[in-house]
PDB file of all heavy atoms in Angstrom:
ATOM      1  N   PRO A   1      99.036  -5.141 -56.294  1.00 91.00           N
ATOM      2  CA  PRO A   1      97.729  -4.601 -56.608  1.00 91.00           C
ATOM      3  C   PRO A   1      97.750  -3.342 -57.456  1.00 91.00           C
ATOM      4  O   PRO A   1      96.931  -3.135 -58.324  1.00 91.00           O
ATOM      5  CB  PRO A   1      97.104  -4.326 -55.203  1.00 91.00           C
ATOM      6  CG  PRO A   1      97.842  -5.245 -54.278  1.00 91.00           C
ATOM      7  CD  PRO A   1      99.228  -5.346 -54.862  1.00 91.00           C
ATOM      8  N   ASP A   2      98.783  -2.460 -57.180  1.00 92.00           N
ATOM      9  CA  ASP A   2      98.882  -1.244 -57.964  1.00 92.00           C
ATOM     10  C   ASP A   2      99.240  -1.548 -59.430  1.00 92.00           C
ATOM     11  O   ASP A   2      98.783  -0.866 -60.344  1.00 92.00           O
ATOM     12  CB  ASP A   2      99.928  -0.282 -57.349  1.00 92.00           C
ATOM     13  CG  ASP A   2      99.432   0.321 -56.051  1.00 92.00           C
ATOM     14  OD1 ASP A   2      98.219   0.330 -55.822  1.00 92.00           O
ATOM     15  OD2 ASP A   2     100.268   0.800 -55.268  1.00 92.00           O
ATOM     16  N   LYS A   3     100.098  -2.551 -59.637  1.00 92.00           N
ATOM     17  CA  LYS A   3     100.445  -2.956 -60.984  1.00 92.00           C
ATOM     18  C   LYS A   3      99.233  -3.507 -61.698  1.00 92.00           C
ATOM     19  O   LYS A   3      98.982  -3.212 -62.903  1.00 92.00           O
ATOM     20  CB  LYS A   3     101.546  -4.013 -60.971  1.00 92.00           C
ATOM     21  CG  LYS A   3     102.928  -3.484 -60.689  1.00 92.00           C
ATOM     22  CD  LYS A   3     103.967  -4.590 -60.704  1.00 92.00           C
ATOM     23  CE  LYS A   3     105.345  -3.997 -60.387  1.00 92.00           C
ATOM     24  NZ  LYS A   3     106.390  -5.081 -60.412  1.00 92.00           N
ATOM     25  N   LEU A   4      98.417  -4.276 -61.016  1.00 90.00           N
ATOM     26  CA  LEU A   4      97.178  -4.809 -61.605  1.00 90.00           C
ATOM     27  C   LEU A   4      96.234  -3.695 -61.999  1.00 90.00           C
ATOM     28  O   LEU A   4      95.705  -3.665 -63.142  1.00 90.00           O
ATOM     29  CB  LEU A   4      96.473  -5.754 -60.648  1.00 90.00           C
ATOM     30  CG  LEU A   4      97.241  -7.048 -60.301  1.00 90.00           C
ATOM     31  CD1 LEU A   4      96.474  -7.867 -59.235  1.00 90.00           C
ATOM     32  CD2 LEU A   4      97.513  -7.888 -61.544  1.00 90.00           C
ATOM     33  N   LYS A   5      96.067  -2.713 -61.162  1.00 90.00           N
ATOM     34  CA  LYS A   5      95.173  -1.555 -61.435  1.00 90.00           C
ATOM     35  C   LYS A   5      95.713  -0.735 -62.598  1.00 90.00           C
ATOM     36  O   LYS A   5      94.992  -0.358 -63.499  1.00 90.00           O
ATOM     37  CB  LYS A   5      95.041  -0.705 -60.153  1.00 90.00           C
ATOM     38  CG  LYS A   5      94.379   0.670 -60.360  1.00 90.00           C
ATOM     39  CD  LYS A   5      92.885   0.557 -60.398  1.00 90.00           C
ATOM     40  CE  LYS A   5      92.220   1.908 -60.365  1.00 90.00           C
ATOM     41  NZ  LYS A   5      91.945   2.475 -61.671  1.00 90.00           N
ATOM     42  N   LEU A   6      97.021  -0.414 -62.531  1.00 91.00           N
ATOM     43  CA  LEU A   6      97.613   0.403 -63.610  1.00 91.00           C
ATOM     44  C   LEU A   6      97.471  -0.292 -64.952  1.00 91.00           C
ATOM     45  O   LEU A   6      97.142   0.329 -65.945  1.00 91.00           O
ATOM     46  CB  LEU A   6      99.110   0.646 -63.274  1.00 91.00           C
ATOM     47  CG  LEU A   6      99.882   1.396 -64.332  1.00 91.00           C
ATOM     48  CD1 LEU A   6      99.346   2.814 -64.508  1.00 91.00           C
ATOM     49  CD2 LEU A   6     101.367   1.426 -64.001  1.00 91.00           C
ATOM     50  N   ASN A   7      97.718  -1.607 -64.975  1.00 90.00           N
ATOM     51  CA  ASN A   7      97.646  -2.299 -66.267  1.00 90.00           C
ATOM     52  C   ASN A   7      96.202  -2.433 -66.759  1.00 90.00           C
ATOM     53  O   ASN A   7      95.943  -2.428 -67.959  1.00 90.00           O
ATOM     54  CB  ASN A   7      98.336  -3.643 -66.182  1.00 90.00           C
ATOM     55  CG  ASN A   7      99.821  -3.496 -66.363  1.00 90.00           C
ATOM     56  OD1 ASN A   7     100.254  -3.218 -67.465  1.00 90.00           O
ATOM     57  ND2 ASN A   7     100.578  -3.553 -65.262  1.00 90.00           N
ATOM     58  N   THR A   8      95.251  -2.450 -65.866  1.00 89.00           N
ATOM     59  CA  THR A   8      93.858  -2.403 -66.292  1.00 89.00           C
ATOM     60  C   THR A   8      93.564  -1.085 -66.938  1.00 89.00           C
ATOM     61  O   THR A   8      92.926  -1.038 -68.021  1.00 89.00           O
ATOM     62  CB  THR A   8      92.947  -2.678 -65.040  1.00 89.00           C
ATOM     63  OG1 THR A   8      93.215  -3.956 -64.534  1.00 89.00           O
ATOM     64  CG2 THR A   8      91.475  -2.525 -65.434  1.00 89.00           C
ATOM     65  N   ASP A   9      94.008  -0.002 -66.342  1.00 89.00           N
ATOM     66  CA  ASP A   9      93.821   1.347 -66.926  1.00 89.00           C
ATOM     67  C   ASP A   9      94.559   1.501 -68.259  1.00 89.00           C
ATOM     68  O   ASP A   9      94.033   2.099 -69.191  1.00 89.00           O
ATOM     69  CB  ASP A   9      94.290   2.413 -65.936  1.00 89.00           C
ATOM     70  CG  ASP A   9      93.422   2.471 -64.684  1.00 89.00           C
ATOM     71  OD1 ASP A   9      92.322   1.890 -64.664  1.00 89.00           O
ATOM     72  OD2 ASP A   9      93.876   3.073 -63.668  1.00 89.00           O
ATOM     73  N   LEU A  10      95.782   0.922 -68.341  1.00 90.00           N
ATOM     74  CA  LEU A  10      96.532   1.024 -69.583  1.00 90.00           C
ATOM     75  C   LEU A  10      95.839   0.266 -70.713  1.00 90.00           C
ATOM     76  O   LEU A  10      95.818   0.715 -71.880  1.00 90.00           O
ATOM     77  CB  LEU A  10      97.960   0.463 -69.390  1.00 90.00           C
ATOM     78  CG  LEU A  10      98.977   1.454 -68.867  1.00 90.00           C
ATOM     79  CD1 LEU A  10     100.289   0.724 -68.557  1.00 90.00           C
ATOM     80  CD2 LEU A  10      99.209   2.562 -69.832  1.00 90.00           C
ATOM     81  N   THR A  11      95.301  -0.893 -70.381  1.00 88.00           N
ATOM     82  CA  THR A  11      94.552  -1.681 -71.382  1.00 88.00           C
ATOM     83  C   THR A  11      93.427  -0.891 -71.965  1.00 88.00           C
ATOM     84  O   THR A  11      93.198  -0.842 -73.170  1.00 88.00           O
ATOM     85  CB  THR A  11      94.091  -3.006 -70.776  1.00 88.00           C
ATOM     86  OG1 THR A  11      95.204  -3.727 -70.344  1.00 88.00           O
ATOM     87  CG2 THR A  11      93.279  -3.826 -71.771  1.00 88.00           C
ATOM     88  N   LYS A  12      92.721  -0.192 -71.084  1.00 87.00           N
ATOM     89  CA  LYS A  12      91.615   0.669 -71.556  1.00 87.00           C
ATOM     90  C   LYS A  12      92.131   1.746 -72.478  1.00 87.00           C
ATOM     91  O   LYS A  12      91.557   2.005 -73.574  1.00 87.00           O
ATOM     92  CB  LYS A  12      90.925   1.286 -70.327  1.00 87.00           C
ATOM     93  CG  LYS A  12      89.776   2.173 -70.677  1.00 87.00           C
ATOM     94  CD  LYS A  12      89.194   2.773 -69.399  1.00 87.00           C
ATOM     95  CE  LYS A  12      88.120   3.781 -69.709  1.00 87.00           C
ATOM     96  NZ  LYS A  12      87.610   4.455 -68.509  1.00 87.00           N
ATOM     97  N   GLY A  13      93.202   2.420 -72.094  1.00 88.00           N
ATOM     98  CA  GLY A  13      93.795   3.494 -72.909  1.00 88.00           C
ATOM     99  C   GLY A  13      94.330   2.985 -74.237  1.00 88.00           C
ATOM    100  O   GLY A  13      94.135   3.652 -75.274  1.00 88.00           O
ATOM    101  N   LEU A  14      94.967   1.813 -74.232  1.00 88.00           N
ATOM    102  CA  LEU A  14      95.488   1.288 -75.452  1.00 88.00           C
ATOM    103  C   LEU A  14      94.365   0.921 -76.421  1.00 88.00           C
ATOM    104  O   LEU A  14      94.472   1.098 -77.641  1.00 88.00           O
ATOM    105  CB  LEU A  14      96.351   0.051 -75.183  1.00 88.00           C
ATOM    106  CG  LEU A  14      97.721   0.355 -74.574  1.00 88.00           C
ATOM    107  CD1 LEU A  14      98.422  -0.937 -74.191  1.00 88.00           C
ATOM    108  CD2 LEU A  14      98.581   1.154 -75.538  1.00 88.00           C
ATOM    109  N   GLY A  15      93.283   0.394 -75.879  1.00 86.00           N
ATOM    110  CA  GLY A  15      92.115   0.097 -76.703  1.00 86.00           C
ATOM    111  C   GLY A  15      91.566   1.350 -77.368  1.00 86.00           C
ATOM    112  O   GLY A  15      91.215   1.318 -78.559  1.00 86.00           O
ATOM    113  N   GLN A  16      91.573   2.445 -76.621  1.00 85.00           N
ATOM    114  CA  GLN A  16      91.105   3.717 -77.215  1.00 85.00           C
ATOM    115  C   GLN A  16      92.046   4.206 -78.307  1.00 85.00           C
ATOM    116  O   GLN A  16      91.628   4.687 -79.347  1.00 85.00           O
ATOM    117  CB  GLN A  16      90.965   4.771 -76.123  1.00 85.00           C
ATOM    118  CG  GLN A  16      89.817   4.495 -75.174  1.00 85.00           C
ATOM    119  CD  GLN A  16      89.805   5.404 -73.959  1.00 85.00           C
ATOM    120  OE1 GLN A  16      90.818   6.029 -73.586  1.00 85.00           O
ATOM    121  NE2 GLN A  16      88.653   5.469 -73.322  1.00 85.00           N
ATOM    122  N   ILE A  17      93.366   4.079 -78.059  1.00 85.00           N
ATOM    123  CA  ILE A  17      94.349   4.502 -79.057  1.00 85.00           C
ATOM    124  C   ILE A  17      94.210   3.674 -80.347  1.00 85.00           C
ATOM    125  O   ILE A  17      94.231   4.180 -81.435  1.00 85.00           O
ATOM    126  CB  ILE A  17      95.800   4.418 -78.511  1.00 85.00           C
ATOM    127  CG1 ILE A  17      96.053   5.584 -77.572  1.00 85.00           C
ATOM    128  CG2 ILE A  17      96.817   4.376 -79.638  1.00 85.00           C
ATOM    129  CD1 ILE A  17      97.411   5.642 -76.975  1.00 85.00           C
ATOM    130  N   LEU A  18      94.054   2.340 -80.191  1.00 84.00           N
ATOM    131  CA  LEU A  18      93.871   1.522 -81.360  1.00 84.00           C
ATOM    132  C   LEU A  18      92.581   1.823 -82.053  1.00 84.00           C
ATOM    133  O   LEU A  18      92.501   1.739 -83.295  1.00 84.00           O
ATOM    134  CB  LEU A  18      93.981   0.029 -80.973  1.00 84.00           C
ATOM    135  CG  LEU A  18      95.384  -0.388 -80.499  1.00 84.00           C
ATOM    136  CD1 LEU A  18      95.365  -1.823 -79.963  1.00 84.00           C
ATOM    137  CD2 LEU A  18      96.425  -0.236 -81.602  1.00 84.00           C
ATOM    138  N   ALA A  19      91.530   2.147 -81.330  1.00 84.00           N
ATOM    139  CA  ALA A  19      90.256   2.540 -81.938  1.00 84.00           C
ATOM    140  C   ALA A  19      90.420   3.814 -82.751  1.00 84.00           C
ATOM    141  O   ALA A  19      89.855   4.004 -83.789  1.00 84.00           O
ATOM    142  CB  ALA A  19      89.201   2.645 -80.897  1.00 84.00           C
ATOM    143  N   VAL A  20      91.202   4.781 -82.193  1.00 80.00           N
ATOM    144  CA  VAL A  20      91.459   6.052 -82.865  1.00 80.00           C
ATOM    145  C   VAL A  20      92.119   5.812 -84.250  1.00 80.00           C
ATOM    146  O   VAL A  20      91.843   6.501 -85.208  1.00 80.00           O
ATOM    147  CB  VAL A  20      92.377   6.937 -81.980  1.00 80.00           C
ATOM    148  CG1 VAL A  20      93.027   8.056 -82.787  1.00 80.00           C
ATOM    149  CG2 VAL A  20      91.555   7.506 -80.822  1.00 80.00           C
ATOM    150  N   SER A  21      92.960   4.806 -84.314  1.00 82.00           N
ATOM    151  CA  SER A  21      93.675   4.533 -85.577  1.00 82.00           C
ATOM    152  C   SER A  21      92.752   4.224 -86.714  1.00 82.00           C
ATOM    153  O   SER A  21      93.114   4.415 -87.869  1.00 82.00           O
ATOM    154  CB  SER A  21      94.673   3.381 -85.376  1.00 82.00           C
ATOM    155  OG  SER A  21      93.984   2.134 -85.233  1.00 82.00           O
ATOM    156  N   GLU A  22      91.534   3.764 -86.403  1.00 82.00           N
ATOM    157  CA  GLU A  22      90.552   3.489 -87.455  1.00 82.00           C
ATOM    158  C   GLU A  22      90.231   4.697 -88.312  1.00 82.00           C
ATOM    159  O   GLU A  22      89.909   4.565 -89.495  1.00 82.00           O
ATOM    160  CB  GLU A  22      89.266   2.917 -86.854  1.00 82.00           C
ATOM    161  CG  GLU A  22      89.399   1.534 -86.321  1.00 82.00           C
ATOM    162  CD  GLU A  22      89.755   0.529 -87.409  1.00 82.00           C
ATOM    163  OE1 GLU A  22      89.036   0.436 -88.423  1.00 82.00           O
ATOM    164  OE2 GLU A  22      90.778  -0.178 -87.220  1.00 82.00           O
ATOM    165  N   GLY A  23      90.300   5.884 -87.744  1.00 83.00           N
ATOM    166  CA  GLY A  23      89.989   7.126 -88.456  1.00 83.00           C
ATOM    167  C   GLY A  23      91.149   7.693 -89.281  1.00 83.00           C
ATOM    168  O   GLY A  23      91.003   8.729 -89.869  1.00 83.00           O
ATOM    169  N   TYR A  24      92.261   6.997 -89.272  1.00 85.00           N
ATOM    170  CA  TYR A  24      93.466   7.550 -89.939  1.00 85.00           C
ATOM    171  C   TYR A  24      94.078   6.459 -90.835  1.00 85.00           C
ATOM    172  O   TYR A  24      94.939   5.703 -90.455  1.00 85.00           O
ATOM    173  CB  TYR A  24      94.506   7.975 -88.904  1.00 85.00           C
ATOM    174  CG  TYR A  24      93.998   9.077 -87.999  1.00 85.00           C
ATOM    175  CD1 TYR A  24      93.334   8.780 -86.832  1.00 85.00           C
ATOM    176  CD2 TYR A  24      94.146  10.423 -88.347  1.00 85.00           C
ATOM    177  CE1 TYR A  24      92.838   9.784 -86.002  1.00 85.00           C
ATOM    178  CE2 TYR A  24      93.665  11.386 -87.534  1.00 85.00           C
ATOM    179  CZ  TYR A  24      93.010  11.108 -86.379  1.00 85.00           C
ATOM    180  OH  TYR A  24      92.510  12.103 -85.573  1.00 85.00           O
ATOM    181  N   PRO A  25      93.631   6.445 -92.100  1.00 84.00           N
ATOM    182  CA  PRO A  25      94.173   5.436 -93.043  1.00 84.00           C
ATOM    183  C   PRO A  25      95.660   5.463 -93.194  1.00 84.00           C
ATOM    184  O   PRO A  25      96.285   4.420 -93.333  1.00 84.00           O
ATOM    185  CB  PRO A  25      93.470   5.775 -94.381  1.00 84.00           C
ATOM    186  CG  PRO A  25      92.288   6.649 -93.998  1.00 84.00           C
ATOM    187  CD  PRO A  25      92.643   7.302 -92.723  1.00 84.00           C
ATOM    188  N   GLU A  26      96.244   6.716 -93.168  1.00 84.00           N
ATOM    189  CA  GLU A  26      97.754   6.797 -93.294  1.00 84.00           C
ATOM    190  C   GLU A  26      98.412   6.120 -92.082  1.00 84.00           C
ATOM    191  O   GLU A  26      99.442   5.486 -92.211  1.00 84.00           O
ATOM    192  CB  GLU A  26      98.260   8.214 -93.369  1.00 84.00           C
ATOM    193  CG  GLU A  26      97.479   9.338 -93.941  1.00 84.00           C
ATOM    194  CD  GLU A  26      96.260   9.809 -93.208  1.00 84.00           C
ATOM    195  OE1 GLU A  26      96.299  10.326 -92.076  1.00 84.00           O
ATOM    196  OE2 GLU A  26      95.186   9.659 -93.790  1.00 84.00           O
ATOM    197  N   LEU A  27      97.831   6.303 -90.921  1.00 84.00           N
ATOM    198  CA  LEU A  27      98.377   5.683 -89.705  1.00 84.00           C
ATOM    199  C   LEU A  27      98.252   4.178 -89.809  1.00 84.00           C
ATOM    200  O   LEU A  27      99.220   3.442 -89.544  1.00 84.00           O
ATOM    201  CB  LEU A  27      97.657   6.212 -88.450  1.00 84.00           C
ATOM    202  CG  LEU A  27      97.995   5.505 -87.149  1.00 84.00           C
ATOM    203  CD1 LEU A  27      99.450   5.684 -86.791  1.00 84.00           C
ATOM    204  CD2 LEU A  27      97.139   6.096 -85.991  1.00 84.00           C
ATOM    205  N   LYS A  28      97.084   3.691 -90.197  1.00 80.00           N
ATOM    206  CA  LYS A  28      96.877   2.247 -90.302  1.00 80.00           C
ATOM    207  C   LYS A  28      97.808   1.580 -91.322  1.00 80.00           C
ATOM    208  O   LYS A  28      98.132   0.425 -91.214  1.00 80.00           O
ATOM    209  CB  LYS A  28      95.431   1.929 -90.668  1.00 80.00           C
ATOM    210  CG  LYS A  28      94.473   2.130 -89.494  1.00 80.00           C
ATOM    211  CD  LYS A  28      93.049   1.914 -89.912  1.00 80.00           C
ATOM    212  CE  LYS A  28      92.839   0.611 -90.592  1.00 80.00           C
ATOM    213  NZ  LYS A  28      91.437   0.369 -90.956  1.00 80.00           N
ATOM    214  N   SER A  29      98.269   2.330 -92.292  1.00 83.00           N
ATOM    215  CA  SER A  29      99.161   1.752 -93.312  1.00 83.00           C
ATOM    216  C   SER A  29     100.619   1.994 -92.983  1.00 83.00           C
ATOM    217  O   SER A  29     101.501   1.497 -93.692  1.00 83.00           O
ATOM    218  CB  SER A  29      98.797   2.297 -94.680  1.00 83.00           C
ATOM    219  OG  SER A  29      99.036   3.687 -94.745  1.00 83.00           O
ATOM    220  N   SER A  30     100.882   2.742 -91.938  1.00 87.00           N
ATOM    221  CA  SER A  30     102.305   3.021 -91.534  1.00 87.00           C
ATOM    222  C   SER A  30     102.949   1.708 -91.082  1.00 87.00           C
ATOM    223  O   SER A  30     102.397   0.964 -90.269  1.00 87.00           O
ATOM    224  CB  SER A  30     102.323   4.023 -90.394  1.00 87.00           C
ATOM    225  OG  SER A  30     103.528   3.960 -89.678  1.00 87.00           O
ATOM    226  N   GLU A  31     104.109   1.426 -91.627  1.00 89.00           N
ATOM    227  CA  GLU A  31     104.839   0.201 -91.262  1.00 89.00           C
ATOM    228  C   GLU A  31     105.162   0.140 -89.785  1.00 89.00           C
ATOM    229  O   GLU A  31     105.067  -0.870 -89.141  1.00 89.00           O
ATOM    230  CB  GLU A  31     106.108   0.014 -92.143  1.00 89.00           C
ATOM    231  CG  GLU A  31     106.746  -1.317 -91.949  1.00 89.00           C
ATOM    232  CD  GLU A  31     105.857  -2.526 -92.202  1.00 89.00           C
ATOM    233  OE1 GLU A  31     105.077  -2.514 -93.170  1.00 89.00           O
ATOM    234  OE2 GLU A  31     105.942  -3.491 -91.404  1.00 89.00           O
ATOM    235  N   ASN A  32     105.576   1.301 -89.234  1.00 89.00           N
ATOM    236  CA  ASN A  32     105.859   1.345 -87.810  1.00 89.00           C
ATOM    237  C   ASN A  32     104.637   0.966 -86.966  1.00 89.00           C
ATOM    238  O   ASN A  32     104.689   0.201 -86.020  1.00 89.00           O
ATOM    239  CB  ASN A  32     106.354   2.740 -87.368  1.00 89.00           C
ATOM    240  CG  ASN A  32     107.789   2.992 -87.698  1.00 89.00           C
ATOM    241  OD1 ASN A  32     108.531   2.048 -87.994  1.00 89.00           O
ATOM    242  ND2 ASN A  32     108.172   4.215 -87.674  1.00 89.00           N
ATOM    243  N   PHE A  33     103.497   1.566 -87.345  1.00 90.00           N
ATOM    244  CA  PHE A  33     102.253   1.335 -86.609  1.00 90.00           C
ATOM    245  C   PHE A  33     101.835  -0.133 -86.759  1.00 90.00           C
ATOM    246  O   PHE A  33     101.432  -0.777 -85.783  1.00 90.00           O
ATOM    247  CB  PHE A  33     101.132   2.256 -87.067  1.00 90.00           C
ATOM    248  CG  PHE A  33      99.843   2.009 -86.348  1.00 90.00           C
ATOM    249  CD1 PHE A  33      99.700   2.496 -85.030  1.00 90.00           C
ATOM    250  CD2 PHE A  33      98.814   1.296 -86.928  1.00 90.00           C
ATOM    251  CE1 PHE A  33      98.498   2.250 -84.362  1.00 90.00           C
ATOM    252  CE2 PHE A  33      97.640   1.043 -86.244  1.00 90.00           C
ATOM    253  CZ  PHE A  33      97.462   1.551 -84.971  1.00 90.00           C
ATOM    254  N   LEU A  34     101.936  -0.646 -87.969  1.00 90.00           N
ATOM    255  CA  LEU A  34     101.567  -2.045 -88.188  1.00 90.00           C
ATOM    256  C   LEU A  34     102.448  -2.982 -87.365  1.00 90.00           C
ATOM    257  O   LEU A  34     101.913  -3.959 -86.723  1.00 90.00           O
ATOM    258  CB  LEU A  34     101.656  -2.390 -89.683  1.00 90.00           C
ATOM    259  CG  LEU A  34     100.580  -1.743 -90.553  1.00 90.00           C
ATOM    260  CD1 LEU A  34     100.899  -2.002 -92.030  1.00 90.00           C
ATOM    261  CD2 LEU A  34      99.205  -2.252 -90.165  1.00 90.00           C
ATOM    262  N   GLN A  35     103.765  -2.769 -87.345  1.00 92.00           N
ATOM    263  CA  GLN A  35     104.627  -3.617 -86.576  1.00 92.00           C
ATOM    264  C   GLN A  35     104.383  -3.470 -85.086  1.00 92.00           C
ATOM    265  O   GLN A  35     104.315  -4.508 -84.360  1.00 92.00           O
ATOM    266  CB  GLN A  35     106.127  -3.279 -86.872  1.00 92.00           C
ATOM    267  CG  GLN A  35     107.090  -4.237 -86.182  1.00 92.00           C
ATOM    268  CD  GLN A  35     106.910  -5.695 -86.545  1.00 92.00           C
ATOM    269  OE1 GLN A  35     106.778  -6.035 -87.715  1.00 92.00           O
ATOM    270  NE2 GLN A  35     106.788  -6.523 -85.579  1.00 92.00           N
ATOM    271  N   LEU A  36     104.216  -2.254 -84.630  1.00 92.00           N
ATOM    272  CA  LEU A  36     103.914  -2.042 -83.203  1.00 92.00           C
ATOM    273  C   LEU A  36     102.578  -2.702 -82.790  1.00 92.00           C
ATOM    274  O   LEU A  36     102.453  -3.288 -81.742  1.00 92.00           O
ATOM    275  CB  LEU A  36     103.901  -0.581 -82.831  1.00 92.00           C
ATOM    276  CG  LEU A  36     105.269   0.101 -82.795  1.00 92.00           C
ATOM    277  CD1 LEU A  36     105.086   1.630 -82.762  1.00 92.00           C
ATOM    278  CD2 LEU A  36     106.089  -0.388 -81.629  1.00 92.00           C
ATOM    279  N   SER A  37     101.595  -2.582 -83.672  1.00 90.00           N
ATOM    280  CA  SER A  37     100.292  -3.267 -83.437  1.00 90.00           C
ATOM    281  C   SER A  37     100.437  -4.741 -83.351  1.00 90.00           C
ATOM    282  O   SER A  37      99.863  -5.379 -82.441  1.00 90.00           O
ATOM    283  CB  SER A  37      99.275  -2.867 -84.517  1.00 90.00           C
ATOM    284  OG  SER A  37      99.009  -1.496 -84.488  1.00 90.00           O
ATOM    285  N   ARG A  38     101.182  -5.337 -84.272  1.00 93.00           N
ATOM    286  CA  ARG A  38     101.417  -6.810 -84.226  1.00 93.00           C
ATOM    287  C   ARG A  38     102.124  -7.180 -82.943  1.00 93.00           C
ATOM    288  O   ARG A  38     101.720  -8.157 -82.281  1.00 93.00           O
ATOM    289  CB  ARG A  38     102.251  -7.253 -85.453  1.00 93.00           C
ATOM    290  CG  ARG A  38     101.432  -7.333 -86.730  1.00 93.00           C
ATOM    291  CD  ARG A  38     102.238  -8.027 -87.808  1.00 93.00           C
ATOM    292  NE  ARG A  38     103.363  -7.204 -88.273  1.00 93.00           N
ATOM    293  CZ  ARG A  38     103.334  -6.367 -89.310  1.00 93.00           C
ATOM    294  NH1 ARG A  38     102.203  -6.237 -90.010  1.00 93.00           N
ATOM    295  NH2 ARG A  38     104.351  -5.682 -89.667  1.00 93.00           N
ATOM    296  N   ASP A  39     103.162  -6.420 -82.580  1.00 94.00           N
ATOM    297  CA  ASP A  39     103.882  -6.708 -81.324  1.00 94.00           C
ATOM    298  C   ASP A  39     102.962  -6.596 -80.125  1.00 94.00           C
ATOM    299  O   ASP A  39     102.992  -7.410 -79.241  1.00 94.00           O
ATOM    300  CB  ASP A  39     105.060  -5.757 -81.132  1.00 94.00           C
ATOM    301  CG  ASP A  39     106.167  -5.977 -82.176  1.00 94.00           C
ATOM    302  OD1 ASP A  39     106.133  -7.011 -82.889  1.00 94.00           O
ATOM    303  OD2 ASP A  39     107.062  -5.094 -82.285  1.00 94.00           O
ATOM    304  N   LEU A  40     102.128  -5.558 -80.120  1.00 93.00           N
ATOM    305  CA  LEU A  40     101.226  -5.351 -79.028  1.00 93.00           C
ATOM    306  C   LEU A  40     100.189  -6.464 -78.941  1.00 93.00           C
ATOM    307  O   LEU A  40      99.907  -6.964 -77.840  1.00 93.00           O
ATOM    308  CB  LEU A  40     100.535  -3.987 -79.168  1.00 93.00           C
ATOM    309  CG  LEU A  40      99.601  -3.597 -78.010  1.00 93.00           C
ATOM    310  CD1 LEU A  40     100.384  -3.480 -76.705  1.00 93.00           C
ATOM    311  CD2 LEU A  40      98.918  -2.262 -78.320  1.00 93.00           C
ATOM    312  N   PHE A  41      99.624  -6.894 -80.057  1.00 92.00           N
ATOM    313  CA  PHE A  41      98.657  -7.971 -80.027  1.00 92.00           C
ATOM    314  C   PHE A  41      99.294  -9.267 -79.531  1.00 92.00           C
ATOM    315  O   PHE A  41      98.690 -10.051 -78.802  1.00 92.00           O
ATOM    316  CB  PHE A  41      98.021  -8.188 -81.398  1.00 92.00           C
ATOM    317  CG  PHE A  41      96.984  -7.139 -81.729  1.00 92.00           C
ATOM    318  CD1 PHE A  41      97.113  -6.333 -82.812  1.00 92.00           C
ATOM    319  CD2 PHE A  41      95.878  -6.944 -80.906  1.00 92.00           C
ATOM    320  CE1 PHE A  41      96.142  -5.353 -83.100  1.00 92.00           C
ATOM    321  CE2 PHE A  41      94.911  -6.007 -81.175  1.00 92.00           C
ATOM    322  CZ  PHE A  41      95.073  -5.179 -82.285  1.00 92.00           C
ATOM    323  N   GLN A  42     100.587  -9.512 -79.954  1.00 95.00           N
ATOM    324  CA  GLN A  42     101.245 -10.711 -79.454  1.00 95.00           C
ATOM    325  C   GLN A  42     101.497 -10.636 -77.946  1.00 95.00           C
ATOM    326  O   GLN A  42     101.223 -11.613 -77.247  1.00 95.00           O
ATOM    327  CB  GLN A  42     102.592 -10.882 -80.155  1.00 95.00           C
ATOM    328  CG  GLN A  42     103.374 -12.095 -79.697  1.00 95.00           C
ATOM    329  CD  GLN A  42     104.726 -12.201 -80.375  1.00 95.00           C
ATOM    330  OE1 GLN A  42     105.059 -11.447 -81.303  1.00 95.00           O
ATOM    331  NE2 GLN A  42     105.517 -13.165 -79.914  1.00 95.00           N
TER     332      GLN A  42
END
């Protein structure tokens, strides 16, 4: 149950981090960020 709760909270936080990236064109075009985003979506 604690893992389920923690991962629910992490999902919320990751959504916020990915939303933050919208305001940073350099971040969105960073190869590291793009690869990590693809990995995360997978």
